[in-house]
């Protein structure tokens, strides 16, 4: 944060910019710094999702973790890992669990000011739930060529019957997400 304030002071005149170009330079510098700040938060939120995936791994679940963040405040409002085996519920995917938690705590079925961070590309079921919940953005780690439903498989958000298409960003911390999954399945085979 200190670097953000310092950079803002430099651009606003302390560093020698004056006149009409000062405002343009300030806007440009602020947008660059906010982009950098956003990247930092993306990485932090994905780390929380990876911790949830690791917990799922330790419980004997497929290691997928998910986090929902309130985009207005930047607060984590729900986090979970897969709990399919534990609950004997085939729909207890990490994404579904966090969507349920937030919908219940907010008292709403639509969550347009929320972003989802998940360690694996959502499956078709989860992608449909994401669309129905109207999540603003989806950030995922590893791609899932066999079971994915966003960039692979049926590509739910590209279907004409899909009523809401969130912004999707893949490949965030993909190496760590994929390594955890490979380790889990290597032990099972």
């Amino acid at each position: 944060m200190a670097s953000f304030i310092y950079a803002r002071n430099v651009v606003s005149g302390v560093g020698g910019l004056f006149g009409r170009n000062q405002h343009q330079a300030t806007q440009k510098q602020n947008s660059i710094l906010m982009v950098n700040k956003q990247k930092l938060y993306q990485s932090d939120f994905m780390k929380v999702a990876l911790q949830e995936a690791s917990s799922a791994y330790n419980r004997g679940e497929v290691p997928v973790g998910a986090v929902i963040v309130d985009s207005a405040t930047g607060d984590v409002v729900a986090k979970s890992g897969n709990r399919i085996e534990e609950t004997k519920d085939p729909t207890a995917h990490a994404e579904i669990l966090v969507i349920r938690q937030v919908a219940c705590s907010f008292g709403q079925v639509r969550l347009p000011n929320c972003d989802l961070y998940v360690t694996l590309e959502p499956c078709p079921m989860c992608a449909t739930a994401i669309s129905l919940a109207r999540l603003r953005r989806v950030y995922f780690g590893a791609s899932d060529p066999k079971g994915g439903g966003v960039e692979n498989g049926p590509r739910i958000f590209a279907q004409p019957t899909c009523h809401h298409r969130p912004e999707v960003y893949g490949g965030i911390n993909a190496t760590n997400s994929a390594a955890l999954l490979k380790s889990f399945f290597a032990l099972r085979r």
Side-chain angles (χ1 to χ4, degrees):
M1 191 62 149
S3 64
F4 176 75
I5 293 167
Y6 171 75
R8 195 166 180 195
N9 287 339
V10 168
V11 171
S12 64
V14 177
L17 294 174
F18 299 99
R20 190 170 51 140
N21 293 333
Q22 177 184 353
H23 180 69
Q24 292 171 339
T26 302
Q27 285 182 322
K28 183 177 179 181
Q29 187 70 26
N30 285 346
S31 67
I32 290 169
L33 291 168
M34 293 309 284
V35 167
N36 290 339
K37 187 176 178 186
Q38 182 68 19
K39 287 181 183 175
L40 175 69
Y41 285 135
Q42 288 172 3
S43 176
D44 290 344
F45 296 138
M46 191 58 79
K47 285 178 185 172
V48 175
L50 279 164
Q51 290 169 351
E52 291 298 318
S54 183
S55 295
Y57 179 98
N58 294 334
R59 291 191 307 272
E61 301 276 358
V62 175
V64 176
V67 173
I68 290 186
V69 175
D70 182 328
S71 62
T73 64
D75 294 334
V76 172
V77 291
K79 59 184 180 175
S80 186
N82 279 356
R83 295 188 179 274
I84 296 164
E85 300 300 327
E86 176 184 325
T87 62
K88 307 296 185 238
D89 177 1
T91 67
H93 291 200
E95 301 96 308
I96 299 291
L97 296 174
V98 293
I99 289 170
R100 286 178 184 160
Q101 287 174 23
V102 176
C104 285
S105 71
F106 285 12
Q108 302 175 25
V109 295
R110 290 183 178 74
L111 309 169
N113 296 319
C114 292
D115 299 337
L116 173 71
Y117 292 79
V118 61
T119 58
L120 181 66
E121 175 184 353
C123 72
M125 173 185 70
C126 293
T128 301
I130 289 164
S131 176
L132 293 172
R134 307 293 198 264
L135 293 177
R136 184 178 79 131
R137 291 184 180 141
V138 175
Y139 300 90
F140 70 86
S143 289
D144 188 356
K146 291 182 182 178
V150 177
E151 289 185 346
N152 294 288
R155 300 177 187 202
I156 297 298
F157 303 138
Q159 298 301 317
T161 55
C162 182
H163 298 293
H164 173 73
R165 292 166 183 82
E167 294 176 34
V168 175
Y169 303 92
I172 298 169
N173 248 343
T175 305
N176 293 339
S177 299
L180 191 58
L181 287 158
K182 286 178 186 174
S183 172
F184 177 81
F185 286 112
L187 292 173
R188 301 286 184 265
R189 295 182 179 143

